[in-house]
Amino acid sequence: MTVPQIGVLALQGDVREHLAALAGAGADARPVRRAAELDAVDGLVVPGGESTTMSKLVDIFELREPIDKRIAGGMPVYGSCAGMIMLATEVLDGRADQRGFAGIEMTVRRNAFGRQVDSFEAPVRLAGVAGGPFHAVFIRAPWVERVGDGVEVVGRVTDDDSRSPRGVRRAELESSSGPAADRIVAVRQGHLLATSFHPELTGDLRLHRYFVDLVRAAG
């Protein structure tokens, strides 16, 4: 597979940003709103946005069963922020009627890092991603409280001596749900990848390249 065709679930959220990042990372990127469009791609990104709204729209657009089948069949999927919630087997602080794809055996806490005004940036060291810590943007982000035996922890919130406009140091990494430093914010289970932060907002394409390579390997 020379140029993988990767879709972005285009129902709600950071669709354009992911499309641009995937194209920059060497993929043929396209929006996915219908089952026929899903059939045409080799991998899928579930973007950040609002997970409860996304859950409803997946049913309205009749995409739940097709996506579940593609995941079961080995299609690589990457979920960022709300996309991480959509891929989790268990969601804390979500709506009772909220349903995702239950692809990664993990428990995530919705909005764990706080509200929109609590958005921040922090360095995250990512296993398997060269080039030093990833400058991660967290916006109403979840974190992972439990992972299953088959889930690899790819990244945790770390700290260094730098600050960004929305950045915080380790001593300040607190939320209403408890200490945020060292929380799990990136995981992988086989062909499924998830982060609680938004790499599509940073201009750093390393994580999208990592996923593009994952799609190539699966093909």
Side-chain angles (χ1 to χ4, degrees):
M1 184 188 303
T2 304
V3 180
Q5 298 178 349
I6 301 179
V8 178
L9 187 62
L11 305 181
Q12 190 258 349
D14 296 337
V15 177
R16 289 184 302 173
E17 293 85 352
H18 273 295
L19 288 171
L22 287 167
D28 177 358
R30 56 188 67 184
V32 169
R33 298 184 185 88
R34 305 291 180 185
E37 295 168 337
L38 179 68
D39 291 341
V41 300
D42 307 304
L44 182 70
V45 171
V46 182
E50 213 295 312
S51 60
T52 56
T53 300
M54 199 176 297
S55 174
K56 294 176 182 178
L57 290 173
V58 165
D59 289 325
I60 291 171
F61 281 78
E62 299 181 340
L63 279 168
R64 184 175 303 281
E65 183 178 355
I67 292 175
D68 283 343
K69 286 183 176 180
R70 290 296 307 275
I71 289 176
M75 177 182 68
V77 179
Y78 166 47
S80 65
C81 198
M84 169 182 267
I85 295 171
M86 292 292 289
L87 286 174
T89 53
E90 182 181 16
V91 178
L92 305 179
D93 295 337
R95 288 173 54 103
D97 60 348
Q98 183 174 347
R99 294 174 57 215
F101 305 121
I104 299 178
E105 187 184 348
M106 62 179 172
T107 299
V108 301
R109 185 174 295 277
R110 184 171 171 265
N111 294 342
F113 286 107
R115 300 173 297 167
Q116 189 86 13
V117 295
D118 301 312
S119 299
F120 69 97
E121 300 173 11
V124 175
R125 294 188 183 277
L126 298 173
V129 178
F134 196 96
H135 190 80
V137 177
F138 296 85
I139 304 172
R140 293 178 61 200
W143 66 40
V144 179
E145 297 207 347
R146 178 197 65 86
V147 296
D149 293 337
V151 179
E152 174 191 1
V153 175
V154 175
R156 297 175 182 266
V157 174
T158 57
D159 186 37
D160 64 8
D161 293 328
S162 65
R163 279 182 187 267
S164 59
R166 294 196 298 267
V168 292
R169 294 177 186 268
R170 177 178 295 273
E172 299 167 326
L173 283 172
E174 300 286 332
S175 80
S176 59
S177 300
D182 297 321
R183 290 289 184 175
I184 299 170
V185 293
V187 297
R188 177 179 172 183
Q189 184 171 3
H191 58 290
L192 304 178
L193 175 71
T195 65
S196 63
F197 53 89
H198 294 264
E200 73 280 7
L201 301 180
T202 66
D204 187 336
L205 298 180
R206 286 181 292 159
L207 199 47
H208 285 84
R209 291 192 185 105
Y210 179 92
F211 181 63
V212 170
D213 289 342
L214 185 63
V215 175
R216 283 198 182 99

Short mmCIF file of all heavy atoms in Angstrom, two decimals, residues 13-61:
data_model
loop_
_atom_site.label_atom_id
_atom_site.label_comp_id
_atom_site.label_asym_id
_atom_site.label_seq_id
_atom_site.Cartn_x
_atom_site.Cartn_y
_atom_site.Cartn_z
N GLY A 13 -16.99 17.77 15.06
CA GLY A 13 -15.66 17.84 15.64
C GLY A 13 -14.59 18.35 14.69
O GLY A 13 -14.88 18.99 13.67
N ASP A 14 -13.32 18.03 15.01
CA ASP A 14 -12.16 18.57 14.30
C ASP A 14 -11.88 17.82 13.00
O ASP A 14 -10.81 17.24 12.82
CB ASP A 14 -10.92 18.50 15.20
CG ASP A 14 -11.06 19.35 16.44
OD1 ASP A 14 -11.86 20.29 16.43
OD2 ASP A 14 -10.35 19.07 17.42
N VAL A 15 -12.81 17.86 12.09
CA VAL A 15 -12.69 17.07 10.86
C VAL A 15 -11.65 17.67 9.92
O VAL A 15 -10.73 16.98 9.46
CB VAL A 15 -14.06 16.97 10.15
CG1 VAL A 15 -13.92 16.22 8.82
CG2 VAL A 15 -15.07 16.28 11.05
N ARG A 16 -11.77 18.96 9.61
CA ARG A 16 -10.85 19.59 8.66
C ARG A 16 -9.41 19.51 9.13
O ARG A 16 -8.50 19.28 8.32
CB ARG A 16 -11.24 21.06 8.44
CG ARG A 16 -12.52 21.28 7.65
CD ARG A 16 -12.77 22.74 7.41
NE ARG A 16 -12.86 23.48 8.68
CZ ARG A 16 -12.93 24.80 8.75
NH1 ARG A 16 -12.86 25.54 7.66
NH2 ARG A 16 -13.02 25.39 9.93
N GLU A 17 -9.20 19.69 10.43
CA GLU A 17 -7.84 19.67 10.96
C GLU A 17 -7.20 18.29 10.80
O GLU A 17 -6.02 18.18 10.44
CB GLU A 17 -7.85 20.09 12.43
CG GLU A 17 -8.23 21.53 12.68
CD GLU A 17 -9.74 21.78 12.75
OE1 GLU A 17 -10.52 20.83 12.46
OE2 GLU A 17 -10.14 22.90 13.10
N HIS A 18 -7.97 17.25 11.04
CA HIS A 18 -7.44 15.89 10.87
C HIS A 18 -7.20 15.59 9.39
O HIS A 18 -6.21 14.93 9.04
CB HIS A 18 -8.38 14.86 11.47
CG HIS A 18 -8.15 14.59 12.92
ND1 HIS A 18 -6.99 14.01 13.40
CD2 HIS A 18 -8.94 14.80 14.00
CE1 HIS A 18 -7.06 13.89 14.71
NE2 HIS A 18 -8.23 14.36 15.10
N LEU A 19 -8.09 16.02 8.52
CA LEU A 19 -7.90 15.80 7.09
C LEU A 19 -6.60 16.44 6.62
O LEU A 19 -5.83 15.83 5.86
CB LEU A 19 -9.09 16.36 6.31
CG LEU A 19 -10.41 15.59 6.41
CD1 LEU A 19 -11.54 16.39 5.77
CD2 LEU A 19 -10.30 14.22 5.76
N ALA A 20 -6.34 17.66 7.07
CA ALA A 20 -5.11 18.36 6.66
C ALA A 20 -3.88 17.65 7.22
O ALA A 20 -2.87 17.49 6.52
CB ALA A 20 -5.16 19.81 7.14
N ALA A 21 -3.94 17.22 8.49
CA ALA A 21 -2.79 16.55 9.10
C ALA A 21 -2.52 15.21 8.42
O ALA A 21 -1.36 14.85 8.18
CB ALA A 21 -3.03 16.35 10.59
N LEU A 22 -3.55 14.45 8.10
CA LEU A 22 -3.37 13.16 7.43
C LEU A 22 -2.76 13.36 6.04
O LEU A 22 -1.88 12.60 5.62
CB LEU A 22 -4.70 12.44 7.33
CG LEU A 22 -5.26 11.84 8.62
CD1 LEU A 22 -6.71 11.44 8.43
CD2 LEU A 22 -4.42 10.65 9.06
N ALA A 23 -3.24 14.37 5.32
CA ALA A 23 -2.68 14.65 4.00
C ALA A 23 -1.21 15.01 4.11
O ALA A 23 -0.37 14.56 3.32
CB ALA A 23 -3.47 15.77 3.33
N GLY A 24 -0.87 15.80 5.12
CA GLY A 24 0.52 16.17 5.34
C GLY A 24 1.38 14.99 5.73
O GLY A 24 2.60 15.00 5.52
N ALA A 25 0.74 13.97 6.32
CA ALA A 25 1.47 12.77 6.75
C ALA A 25 1.55 11.71 5.66
O ALA A 25 2.05 10.60 5.91
CB ALA A 25 0.80 12.19 7.99
N GLY A 26 1.04 12.01 4.47
CA GLY A 26 1.20 11.10 3.34
C GLY A 26 0.01 10.23 3.01
O GLY A 26 0.13 9.28 2.23
N ALA A 27 -1.16 10.55 3.56
CA ALA A 27 -2.35 9.75 3.29
C ALA A 27 -3.25 10.44 2.28
O ALA A 27 -3.19 11.66 2.09
CB ALA A 27 -3.13 9.50 4.58
N ASP A 28 -4.09 9.66 1.64
CA ASP A 28 -5.21 10.18 0.85
C ASP A 28 -6.37 10.30 1.83
O ASP A 28 -7.02 9.32 2.17
CB ASP A 28 -5.54 9.21 -0.29
CG ASP A 28 -6.74 9.66 -1.12
OD1 ASP A 28 -7.34 10.71 -0.79
OD2 ASP A 28 -7.09 8.96 -2.08
N ALA A 29 -6.60 11.51 2.32
CA ALA A 29 -7.57 11.73 3.40
C ALA A 29 -8.90 12.19 2.83
O ALA A 29 -8.95 13.02 1.92
CB ALA A 29 -7.03 12.77 4.38
N ARG A 30 -9.98 11.66 3.40
CA ARG A 30 -11.31 12.00 2.92
C ARG A 30 -12.33 11.92 4.05
O ARG A 30 -12.17 11.12 4.98
CB ARG A 30 -11.71 11.04 1.80
CG ARG A 30 -11.64 9.58 2.19
CD ARG A 30 -11.86 8.66 1.00
NE ARG A 30 -10.78 8.75 0.04
CZ ARG A 30 -10.77 8.11 -1.13
NH1 ARG A 30 -11.78 7.33 -1.46
NH2 ARG A 30 -9.76 8.23 -1.95
N PRO A 31 -13.38 12.73 4.01
CA PRO A 31 -14.42 12.67 5.04
C PRO A 31 -15.29 11.43 4.86
O PRO A 31 -15.50 10.96 3.73
CB PRO A 31 -15.22 13.95 4.82
CG PRO A 31 -15.00 14.29 3.39
CD PRO A 31 -13.62 13.82 3.04
N VAL A 32 -15.79 10.91 5.97
CA VAL A 32 -16.67 9.74 5.95
C VAL A 32 -17.97 10.09 6.68
O VAL A 32 -17.94 10.40 7.87
CB VAL A 32 -16.00 8.52 6.62
CG1 VAL A 32 -17.01 7.40 6.84
CG2 VAL A 32 -14.84 8.02 5.77
N ARG A 33 -19.07 10.03 5.95
CA ARG A 33 -20.40 10.27 6.54
C ARG A 33 -21.36 9.14 6.23
O ARG A 33 -22.43 9.06 6.84
CB ARG A 33 -20.99 11.58 6.02
CG ARG A 33 -20.21 12.83 6.36
CD ARG A 33 -20.91 14.08 5.90
NE ARG A 33 -20.11 15.27 6.13
CZ ARG A 33 -19.20 15.75 5.27
NH1 ARG A 33 -19.00 15.13 4.11
NH2 ARG A 33 -18.51 16.83 5.56
N ARG A 34 -21.03 8.31 5.28
CA ARG A 34 -21.92 7.24 4.84
C ARG A 34 -21.18 5.91 4.83
O ARG A 34 -19.95 5.85 4.73
CB ARG A 34 -22.45 7.53 3.42
CG ARG A 34 -23.13 8.88 3.27
CD ARG A 34 -24.44 8.93 4.01
NE ARG A 34 -25.09 10.23 3.85
CZ ARG A 34 -26.20 10.59 4.48
NH1 ARG A 34 -26.77 9.74 5.32
NH2 ARG A 34 -26.73 11.78 4.28
N ALA A 35 -21.95 4.83 4.88
CA ALA A 35 -21.36 3.49 4.90
C ALA A 35 -20.53 3.24 3.64
O ALA A 35 -19.47 2.60 3.70
CB ALA A 35 -22.44 2.44 5.06
N ALA A 36 -21.00 3.73 2.50
CA ALA A 36 -20.26 3.53 1.25
C ALA A 36 -18.91 4.22 1.29
O ALA A 36 -17.92 3.71 0.74
CB ALA A 36 -21.08 4.04 0.06
N GLU A 37 -18.84 5.37 1.93
CA GLU A 37 -17.55 6.08 2.07
C GLU A 37 -16.63 5.33 3.02
O GLU A 37 -15.42 5.30 2.81
CB GLU A 37 -17.81 7.50 2.55
CG GLU A 37 -18.58 8.36 1.55
CD GLU A 37 -19.08 9.66 2.12
OE1 GLU A 37 -19.23 9.76 3.36
OE2 GLU A 37 -19.34 10.58 1.32
N LEU A 38 -17.20 4.73 4.04
CA LEU A 38 -16.41 3.92 4.96
C LEU A 38 -15.81 2.72 4.25
O LEU A 38 -14.66 2.34 4.49
CB LEU A 38 -17.27 3.46 6.14
CG LEU A 38 -16.60 2.58 7.18
CD1 LEU A 38 -15.55 3.38 7.96
CD2 LEU A 38 -17.63 1.99 8.14
N ASP A 39 -16.57 2.11 3.37
CA ASP A 39 -16.10 0.93 2.63
C ASP A 39 -14.87 1.24 1.78
O ASP A 39 -14.09 0.34 1.47
CB ASP A 39 -17.21 0.39 1.71
CG ASP A 39 -18.36 -0.23 2.49
OD1 ASP A 39 -18.17 -0.58 3.67
OD2 ASP A 39 -19.47 -0.36 1.90
N ALA A 40 -14.69 2.51 1.41
CA ALA A 40 -13.63 2.88 0.48
C ALA A 40 -12.31 3.23 1.16
O ALA A 40 -11.33 3.52 0.47
CB ALA A 40 -14.09 4.06 -0.38
N VAL A 41 -12.26 3.22 2.51
CA VAL A 41 -11.04 3.63 3.19
C VAL A 41 -10.34 2.45 3.86
O VAL A 41 -10.96 1.42 4.14
CB VAL A 41 -11.33 4.74 4.23
CG1 VAL A 41 -11.92 5.96 3.55
CG2 VAL A 41 -12.24 4.24 5.35
N ASP A 42 -9.04 2.63 4.09
CA ASP A 42 -8.21 1.61 4.73
C ASP A 42 -8.11 1.80 6.24
O ASP A 42 -7.72 0.87 6.96
CB ASP A 42 -6.80 1.62 4.14
CG ASP A 42 -6.82 1.51 2.62
OD1 ASP A 42 -7.41 0.54 2.11
OD2 ASP A 42 -6.26 2.41 1.96
N GLY A 43 -8.39 3.01 6.72
CA GLY A 43 -8.33 3.33 8.13
C GLY A 43 -9.26 4.49 8.42
O GLY A 43 -9.74 5.16 7.50
N LEU A 44 -9.50 4.74 9.70
CA LEU A 44 -10.47 5.77 10.09
C LEU A 44 -9.97 6.54 11.30
O LEU A 44 -9.41 5.96 12.23
CB LEU A 44 -11.82 5.12 10.42
CG LEU A 44 -12.97 6.06 10.79
CD1 LEU A 44 -13.43 6.86 9.57
CD2 LEU A 44 -14.14 5.28 11.39
N VAL A 45 -10.18 7.86 11.29
CA VAL A 45 -9.93 8.71 12.44
C VAL A 45 -11.28 9.15 13.00
O VAL A 45 -12.14 9.63 12.27
CB VAL A 45 -9.08 9.94 12.06
CG1 VAL A 45 -9.02 10.94 13.23
CG2 VAL A 45 -7.68 9.52 11.65
N VAL A 46 -11.44 8.98 14.31
CA VAL A 46 -12.62 9.50 15.02
C VAL A 46 -12.13 10.74 15.74
O VAL A 46 -11.36 10.65 16.69
CB VAL A 46 -13.20 8.47 16.00
CG1 VAL A 46 -14.46 9.02 16.67
CG2 VAL A 46 -13.52 7.16 15.27
N PRO A 47 -12.57 11.94 15.33
CA PRO A 47 -11.94 13.18 15.81
C PRO A 47 -12.44 13.61 17.18
O PRO A 47 -13.39 13.05 17.74
CB PRO A 47 -12.37 14.19 14.74
CG PRO A 47 -13.71 13.71 14.30
CD PRO A 47 -13.62 12.20 14.32
N GLY A 48 -11.78 14.67 17.69
CA GLY A 48 -12.28 15.32 18.89
C GLY A 48 -13.56 16.06 18.59
O GLY A 48 -13.84 16.42 17.45
N GLY A 49 -14.33 16.28 19.62
CA GLY A 49 -15.62 16.96 19.49
C GLY A 49 -16.41 16.76 20.76
O GLY A 49 -15.88 16.96 21.86
N GLU A 50 -17.65 16.35 20.62
CA GLU A 50 -18.50 16.10 21.79
C GLU A 50 -19.00 14.67 21.69
O GLU A 50 -19.77 14.32 20.80
CB GLU A 50 -19.67 17.09 21.79
CG GLU A 50 -20.13 17.50 23.17
CD GLU A 50 -20.71 16.33 23.96
OE1 GLU A 50 -21.53 15.60 23.41
OE2 GLU A 50 -20.32 16.15 25.14
N SER A 51 -18.54 13.82 22.61
CA SER A 51 -18.75 12.37 22.46
C SER A 51 -20.22 11.98 22.53
O SER A 51 -20.65 11.05 21.85
CB SER A 51 -17.95 11.62 23.53
OG SER A 51 -18.35 11.99 24.83
N THR A 52 -21.02 12.67 23.35
CA THR A 52 -22.44 12.29 23.44
C THR A 52 -23.17 12.64 22.15
O THR A 52 -24.00 11.87 21.67
CB THR A 52 -23.11 12.98 24.64
OG1 THR A 52 -22.95 14.40 24.54
CG2 THR A 52 -22.50 12.51 25.94
N THR A 53 -22.83 13.79 21.57
CA THR A 53 -23.42 14.17 20.28
C THR A 53 -22.97 13.22 19.19
O THR A 53 -23.77 12.77 18.35
CB THR A 53 -23.02 15.61 19.91
OG1 THR A 53 -23.48 16.50 20.92
CG2 THR A 53 -23.59 16.01 18.56
N MET A 54 -21.69 12.88 19.18
CA MET A 54 -21.16 11.97 18.18
C MET A 54 -21.83 10.60 18.27
O MET A 54 -22.15 9.98 17.24
CB MET A 54 -19.64 11.83 18.36
CG MET A 54 -18.91 11.29 17.15
SD MET A 54 -17.11 11.27 17.40
CE MET A 54 -16.76 13.02 17.60
N SER A 55 -22.08 10.14 19.48
CA SER A 55 -22.74 8.85 19.68
C SER A 55 -24.12 8.83 19.03
O SER A 55 -24.52 7.85 18.39
CB SER A 55 -22.85 8.55 21.18
OG SER A 55 -23.60 7.39 21.42
N LYS A 56 -24.86 9.93 19.19
CA LYS A 56 -26.19 10.01 18.58
C LYS A 56 -26.11 10.08 17.06
O LYS A 56 -26.89 9.42 16.35
CB LYS A 56 -26.94 11.23 19.12
CG LYS A 56 -27.27 11.17 20.60
CD LYS A 56 -27.92 12.45 21.06
CE LYS A 56 -28.23 12.42 22.54
NZ LYS A 56 -28.82 13.70 23.01
N LEU A 57 -25.17 10.87 16.55
CA LEU A 57 -25.05 11.05 15.10
C LEU A 57 -24.62 9.77 14.40
O LEU A 57 -25.02 9.51 13.26
CB LEU A 57 -24.08 12.18 14.79
CG LEU A 57 -24.57 13.59 15.16
CD1 LEU A 57 -23.45 14.61 14.98
CD2 LEU A 57 -25.78 13.98 14.33
N VAL A 58 -23.80 8.96 15.06
CA VAL A 58 -23.40 7.67 14.48
C VAL A 58 -24.63 6.82 14.19
O VAL A 58 -24.71 6.14 13.15
CB VAL A 58 -22.41 6.94 15.42
CG1 VAL A 58 -22.28 5.48 15.04
CG2 VAL A 58 -21.05 7.60 15.38
N ASP A 59 -25.60 6.85 15.09
CA ASP A 59 -26.84 6.09 14.86
C ASP A 59 -27.71 6.75 13.80
O ASP A 59 -28.29 6.06 12.95
CB ASP A 59 -27.62 5.96 16.17
CG ASP A 59 -26.95 5.01 17.15
OD1 ASP A 59 -26.36 4.02 16.69
OD2 ASP A 59 -27.02 5.27 18.37
N ILE A 60 -27.81 8.06 13.83
CA ILE A 60 -28.64 8.77 12.84
C ILE A 60 -28.13 8.51 11.42
O ILE A 60 -28.93 8.30 10.49
CB ILE A 60 -28.66 10.28 13.14
CG1 ILE A 60 -29.45 10.55 14.44
CG2 ILE A 60 -29.26 11.07 11.98
CD1 ILE A 60 -29.34 11.97 14.94
N PHE A 61 -26.82 8.48 11.25
CA PHE A 61 -26.22 8.26 9.93
C PHE A 61 -26.01 6.77 9.63
O PHE A 61 -25.41 6.42 8.62
CB PHE A 61 -24.90 9.01 9.81
CG PHE A 61 -25.05 10.48 9.53
CD1 PHE A 61 -25.38 11.36 10.56
CD2 PHE A 61 -24.88 10.99 8.26
CE1 PHE A 61 -25.53 12.72 10.32
CE2 PHE A 61 -25.03 12.34 8.00
CZ PHE A 61 -25.36 13.22 9.04
#
